[in-house]
Amino acid sequence: QVHLVESGGGLVQAGGSLRLSCVASGSIFSINFMRWYRQAPGKEREWVASVSSGGTTDSAESVKGRFTISRDNAANTVYLHMNSLKPEDTAVYYCYVNAVATRFDGARNYWGQGTQVTVSA
């Protein structure tokens, strides 16, 4: 089984920056895509950014130009660099990874438990 742990969240003023990290551990044979989602209180979870196994990235229009997703394959880690943060970015941010646990398994999707990001006005 693959275990995901997010970190790097916290309280920051509008216009500030944060870097989120998500480390995959446990049984890992290979990792395909890695994504970030977020969910604000009372709202549905929404996709934020993705990075493929080949390094191709994409992000939601609401964060484009401000957030950057990247990955370190050797460390089984995906990052989300967040700049020019706005109060509307306040949410719990979740890591979402498609991975193969062992050579005998097919790929599965895994969720992290989330890290809180709060942006004050």
Side-chain angles (χ1 to χ4, degrees):
Q1 187 177 36
V2 177
H3 186 222
L4 306 177
V5 178
E6 301 99 332
S7 63
L11 176 64
V12 64
Q13 293 182 344
S17 300
L18 285 173
R19 186 186 73 168
L20 306 184
S21 299
C22 172
V23 181
S25 62
S27 181
I28 302 173
F29 181 74
S30 64
I31 297 177
N32 299 313
F33 64 73
M34 308 180 86
R35 297 172 179 168
W36 285 98
Y37 287 78
R38 67 184 182 186
Q39 187 168 24
K43 299 183 65 178
E44 294 186 345
R45 189 169 300 184
E46 63 175 343
W47 169 75
V48 176
S50 301
V51 57
S52 72
S53 60
T56 301
T57 62
D58 196 11
S59 61
E61 196 67 30
S62 61
V63 306
K64 194 159 293 182
R66 299 187 299 118
F67 292 9
T68 301
I69 188 171
S70 63
R71 63 191 288 169
D72 183 342
N73 291 328
N76 292 327
T77 302
V78 61
Y79 302 97
L80 186 68
H81 295 80
M82 305 185 295
N83 299 313
S84 301
L85 283 162
K86 304 174 181 179
E88 51 262 45
D89 294 320
T90 296
V92 177
Y93 284 71
Y94 296 92
C95 183
Y96 182 68
V97 173
N98 183 261
V100 179
T102 77
R103 59 180 291 184
F104 306 106
D105 301 325
R108 297 180 181 181
N109 296 324
Y110 301 88
W111 286 99
Q113 291 187 305
T115 184
Q116 176 71 49
V117 172
T118 302
V119 184
S120 62

